[in-house]
Amino acid sequence: YCEPRPCWRKEDNKGDYPPSALIEEKKVASEEECMDMCEENAECRAAILSPAGDCHIVNTAEVTERAGWKTAITYKCPEWALNRREEPIPWNFTRNSLQIRTDDKTESLWSRSSIYVYFLNDREESESNSGMYVRGITIKLRNNSPTYRVTSCLPDTPFDEELPDSDIRLWTVDWDAENFRMKIFCNGQKMVDLTMSYWNCYAGSEWRKQYSKTVNYIVFDDFDSESDYYRRGDRTNRT
């Protein structure tokens, strides 16, 4: 398996560094190109972009404030963990995003290939009469049009953007409980940005009751056929 991109922590308004740390300086067209420069140099720890489009790659992660500049700092990616269905996994969305890896499984003809991940307050939680979990997300990949569902809020809904054309996809789920906001990224591209409300959740007031609870665990459902690996992500890194 090859990462779509090494892990990065992006920070705005940072760009000051010791002069001795500079490896190379070059005019670039984008922040991505600046990060590419850094990847090509084994000593690079940070890619720094000036407001004028000058890329500075440096051998230190100690970059301090500088108005208008952007910095991307490399760090060692967390290891992938093997997904175990129906096993509650301790989680804290305040500190970590959830990253899920889906590899190409085109040899499978099952048309309902999906990701099912649910949010739990405690390990034994299953609050609906049917015994099903009541908070979380479902992503269906083998539909004619891939969709996502937010349990107790949205039914199956097309993504805001077209999925990246890639055999390997890295999904990142950010959950902001304080603002009832969920964001989903695929290979760094934002696919969903949903703020739950009475206007867009079909379940009346049920969604607020459920999503007000602290998420202490996640669980991958038995029906999940796609996400074999997961890891804790940095809240600023989605690739």
Side-chain angles (χ1 to χ4, degrees):
Y1 171 68
C2 181
E3 294 283 353
R5 181 181 280 283
C7 288
W8 295 88
R9 184 176 70 255
K10 295 183 179 181
E11 300 183 6
D12 291 335
N13 296 312
K14 286 196 173 181
D16 209 10
Y17 58 88
S20 60
L22 180 65
I23 299 171
E24 185 181 354
E25 179 181 346
K26 178 183 175 182
K27 184 76 73 175
V28 295
S30 67
E31 187 178 15
E32 292 293 311
E33 187 177 342
C34 188
M35 293 160 69
D36 287 341
M37 277 180 59
C38 185
E39 286 181 30
E40 292 168 2
N41 191 299
E43 296 182 2
C44 184
R45 294 293 310 283
I48 304 168
L49 188 65
S50 77
D54 297 306
C55 175
H56 302 229
I57 63 170
V58 298
N59 62 11
T60 180
E62 301 301 319
V63 182
T64 55
E65 293 183 4
R66 194 170 187 177
W69 290 57
K70 295 182 178 181
T71 293
I73 298 172
T74 63
Y75 68 94
K76 187 179 185 303
C77 293
E79 297 294 330
W80 289 103
L82 184 65
N83 190 341
R84 294 180 177 84
R85 310 289 189 249
E86 295 292 348
E87 178 180 307
I89 304 164
W91 210 268
N92 184 334
F93 275 107
T94 303
R95 291 200 301 263
N96 299 106
S97 59
L98 168 62
Q99 294 193 322
I100 303 167
R101 193 182 105 197
T102 57
D103 298 354
D104 182 36
K105 297 183 179 179
T106 53
E107 70 278 2
S108 171
L109 299 179
W110 189 31
S111 63
R112 297 181 61 190
S113 298
S114 304
I115 300 168
Y116 288 82
V117 58
Y118 297 106
F119 304 165
L120 279 63
N121 177 255
D122 62 69
R123 292 182 64 90
E124 306 302 324
E125 179 182 2
S126 178
E127 298 177 2
S128 70
N129 292 333
S130 64
M132 296 294 291
Y133 301 111
V134 292
R135 295 188 304 282
I137 61 166
T138 300
I139 296 173
K140 296 183 178 180
L141 297 175
R142 298 289 182 237
N143 296 354
N144 290 334
S145 175
T147 60
Y148 72 98
R149 178 196 307 163
V150 180
T151 311
S152 299
C153 178
L154 281 185
D156 290 348
T157 305
F159 286 103
D160 298 340
E161 304 288 341
E162 187 174 338
L163 290 183
D165 184 15
S166 175
D167 289 342
I168 297 174
R169 293 190 176 113
L170 173 60
W171 300 86
T172 301
V173 179
D174 285 343
W175 169 238
D176 177 358
E178 183 177 353
N179 297 300
F180 297 105
R181 186 178 183 186
M182 181 178 293
K183 289 185 282 187
I184 301 174
F185 299 79
C186 183
N187 287 6
Q189 177 180 330
K190 186 187 292 184
M191 307 301 301
V192 175
D193 191 344
L194 170 70
T195 300
M196 297 182 192
S197 71
Y198 293 104
W199 301 105
N200 58 23
C201 286
Y202 66 83
S205 60
E206 183 69 15
W207 70 270
R208 181 175 286 274
K209 171 186 172 183
Q210 300 301 341
Y211 285 92
S212 294
K213 297 180 180 180
T214 302
V215 177
N216 294 316
Y217 299 89
I218 60 168
V219 63
F220 290 88
D221 193 89
D222 270 345
F223 286 103
D224 188 319
S225 61
E226 289 292 299
S227 54
D228 292 330
Y229 300 95
Y230 74 93
R231 70 181 180 191
R232 287 170 170 79
D234 186 291
R235 284 297 298 268
T236 63
N237 182 65
R238 281 111 185 190
T239 54

